[in-house]
Amino acid sequence: MMEITFPGGVAVNTEYNGFVTKTDQPEANGGTDSAPSPFDLFLSSLGACAGFFALRFCQQREIDTTGMKLTLDTNRNPESKRLEAISMKIHLPDGFPDKYRKSIIRATDQCAVKKVIVDPPEITVETV
């Protein structure tokens, strides 16, 4: 079970499996900008998960990952501020074999965070 606590101001912490993750809001939203916002952590989680699958793909094939990185860009609706699109790019390392270009995309698509976004679970909220 994850526990969510409120250490002060608009900061919110989560504790799960012995790890504490701190979040805050930008100053414009009443925070102190002392930690990433919850939404920024969500995007970071997506990028880290996809990155893990790209990394493991290369490691399993003994492909050097020096210089490899992923970038994630977002597109928001200017009126609603709703996130409309996420674009992820895998910047392949020098010497990456052409024969694996499509395969590394398929491997990265196995990211569990992406799968939850594509096929979302039911989320319920109740008071106790």
Side-chain angles (χ1 to χ4, degrees):
M1 177 171 59
M2 182 180 291
E3 182 175 282
I4 291 71
T5 57
F6 312 101
V10 294
V12 178
N13 292 350
T14 65
E15 185 171 350
Y16 189 67
N17 285 341
F19 295 100
V20 175
T21 303
K22 298 178 179 187
T23 71
D24 196 4
Q25 293 292 319
E27 290 179 6
N29 292 349
T32 61
D33 211 15
S34 66
S37 72
F39 193 78
D40 290 346
L41 283 180
F42 160 72
L43 292 174
S44 180
S45 177
L46 175 62
C49 181
F52 167 76
F53 280 89
L55 176 66
R56 289 301 292 151
F57 178 89
C58 291
Q59 288 174 337
Q60 290 169 349
R61 288 156 186 80
E62 299 180 352
I63 298 169
D64 184 9
T65 59
T66 303
M68 184 171 84
K69 68 179 180 178
L70 274 71
T71 56
L72 191 143
D73 288 312
T74 59
N75 184 13
R76 291 181 182 265
N77 181 302
E79 292 178 18
S80 68
K81 308 294 186 219
R82 183 183 177 281
L83 182 64
E84 290 188 333
I86 299 171
S87 171
M88 226 180 297
K89 292 184 173 92
I90 307 167
H91 301 259
L92 298 171
D94 290 338
F96 187 88
D98 282 340
K99 68 180 182 178
Y100 289 134
R101 285 180 173 268
K102 289 182 182 177
S103 298
I104 195 169
I105 292 171
R106 283 194 303 274
T108 304
D109 277 341
Q110 297 306 305
C111 165
V113 177
K114 180 183 176 193
K115 286 183 175 188
V116 166
I117 295 168
V118 172
D119 186 17
E122 177 182 346
I123 300 172
T124 61
V125 179
E126 61 185 82
T127 58
V128 293

